[in-house]
Amino acid sequence: MHTSQGRSVGLGLALASAFAFGGSGVAAKPLIEAGLDPLHVVWLRVTGAALIMLPVAWRHRAMVRQRPALLAGFGLLAVAGVQACYFAAISRIPVGVALLIEYLAPALVLLWVRFVQRRPVTRAAAVGVVLAVGGLACVVEVWAGLSFDPVGVLLALAAACCQVGYFVLSDQGADGEDPADPLGVIAYGLLVGAVVLTVVARPWGMDWSLLGGSADMGGSSVAAPLLLGWIVLIATVLAYVTGVISVRRLSPQVAGVVACLEAVVATVLAWVLLREHLSAPQIIGGVVVLIGAFIAQSSTPKAPSGPMAGGTGAGDPARLSPGHTTT
C-alpha cells in the first residue's frame, strides 16, 4: 500500500517537473524578443535560483571539500553550458525544435560509451541512435536545405553536447560508498553556474528597465516580472526539486520516460502561446526523436564505478538528478 502510494506521488512529482521544465523556453523567449540578451535571461534564471537554494547549499557545505570537481563540472556544463546554449538557440529557432535537438544527448552518450570508453553497446541502443538522428533530420527538414537558422541549430546541438557532460558527471556523483546528495549538487551547480555566467554575460550592461515593462507572448502582453518569476521559481527551483524527489520514489527508467514529456509540453506550449507551429513531418520527426532517446536512455549498460564513469542520461539519467534535459 505504502509502496503504491509512494510511486503515485513520485509519478505526480515527475509529471510536475516535466511540465515545469517544459515551460522555461516559452517564458524566456518573449523576454529575449523584448530586447534582453539570451545570456542575461540565463543569468537572471540561474542567479535567482541560486539565491533561493542558498540554504540547501549551506546545509551541504561539506561537498565543496569532498567533491569540488563534480560541483565545478556540474555548474559549468549542466547549468551554465546547457542553459546558455539552449536560450541562445531559442532566440533563433522555435522552442520545440531546440529542445528536440537537445534530446540527441542520450544518443551522444552512447557514442561516448562506444568510442571514448570503448565499451560495447546493445543493438537496441544502436537502433535508438539511428532513430534519434533520423527523427532530427525530419525536425530540421534537411530536404529543404535546413529550413531553420543554422546557427540556432548548432547552438541547440551545443546544448546537447553540454548535456552529455552533465550525464557523465552525474554517474560520477552517484557511484561510491558516499554518493553525492542530488539537491546539494544542484544547489552548488547553480551557484557555480551563476559565477560563470556573471563573467560571461556581464549583467551590469543589461537594460534593467526592460524587467519593469511587459513582453509580447503570442499577441498578448505579459508583465516581464511575471515571466521572470515563472522561469526562476517554477521552471528552475520547483522543476529541479520535484524532479529529484520523484527519482527517489521511482526507478530512473520510469522517471526518464516521464521526463520525455518535457519536449512535448514545450512544443505544445510554444504552439499555443507563441504561435510556433510545426509541420506534420516535424511532428513525426519529433516523436521519432523521443522514441530514439528513450531507447538509447534505457539500453546503455551501466559503467563501472569510478571517476567520470558512464553516462547517466543513457543508462541511469536520474541517479544524481532528474532524467530530463535540465532546460
Side-chain angles (χ1 to χ4, degrees):
M1 181 68 176
H2 291 295
T3 301
S4 177
Q5 289 180 340
R7 288 183 64 82
S8 297
V9 172
L11 183 59
L13 290 171
L15 287 169
S17 180
F19 274 83
F21 270 114
S24 65
V26 176
K29 190 155 188 173
L31 293 175
I32 294 171
E33 293 181 341
L36 282 175
D37 187 277
L39 279 177
H40 289 160
V41 178
V42 177
W43 178 83
L44 289 166
R45 176 186 186 181
V46 173
T47 303
L51 291 175
I52 294 173
M53 295 290 284
L54 271 178
V56 177
W58 176 255
R59 179 181 177 183
H60 297 282
R61 57 190 179 278
M63 293 181 67
V64 177
R65 183 184 69 259
Q66 297 169 348
R67 302 292 183 92
L70 172 64
L71 300 182
F74 195 85
L76 182 62
L77 295 175
V79 176
V82 171
Q83 295 186 22
C85 291
Y86 173 66
F87 276 22
I90 66 173
S91 70
R92 293 174 170 270
I93 60 178
V95 170
V97 172
L99 195 52
L100 287 169
I101 293 174
E102 194 175 332
Y103 262 83
L104 277 180
L108 294 176
V109 170
L110 286 176
L111 298 180
W112 169 277
V113 171
R114 179 65 184 86
F115 296 106
V116 177
Q117 295 186 330
R118 298 186 181 281
R119 292 191 294 119
V121 297
T122 65
R123 182 173 299 178
V127 170
V129 173
V130 173
L131 285 175
V133 173
L136 178 62
C138 293
V139 170
V140 300
E141 294 184 335
V142 292
W143 57 84
L146 196 64
S147 61
F148 296 112
D149 184 334
V151 175
V153 172
L154 288 174
L155 286 168
L157 285 171
C161 291
C162 288
Q163 187 78 359
V164 173
Y166 152 70
F167 290 153
V168 173
L169 287 168
S170 294
D171 208 41
Q172 179 189 11
D175 281 327
E177 297 180 356
D178 185 23
D181 185 277
L183 286 176
V185 175
I186 289 171
Y188 277 103
L190 289 168
L191 286 171
V192 172
V195 172
V196 172
L197 288 168
T198 298
V199 176
V200 176
R202 294 179 293 181
W204 48 86
M206 178 170 52
D207 186 357
W208 292 88
S209 63
L210 293 172
L211 296 178
S214 60
D216 178 75
M217 177 179 280
S220 300
S221 181
V222 181
L226 182 62
L227 292 172
L228 183 61
W230 177 276
I231 293 170
V232 173
L233 296 175
I234 305 299
T236 307
V237 176
L238 179 65
Y240 272 119
V241 172
T242 54
V244 168
I245 296 174
S246 72
V247 167
R248 293 181 175 182
R249 293 174 177 266
L250 301 170
S251 70
Q253 288 77 13
V254 173
V257 172
V258 177
C260 286
L261 288 175
E262 179 189 342
V264 178
V265 170
T267 302
V268 172
L269 288 178
W271 195 311
V272 174
L273 299 177
L274 302 180
R275 305 293 189 264
E276 293 184 347
H277 295 177
L278 300 183
S279 65
Q282 289 170 333
I283 294 173
I284 295 172
V287 172
V288 174
V289 168
L290 294 180
I291 292 173
F294 165 66
I295 294 174
Q297 178 171 281
S298 58
S299 301
T300 303
K302 184 183 180 300
S305 299
M308 298 303 291
T312 51
D316 231 353
R319 292 190 303 148
L320 177 69
S321 51
H324 45 59
T325 60
T326 69
T327 51

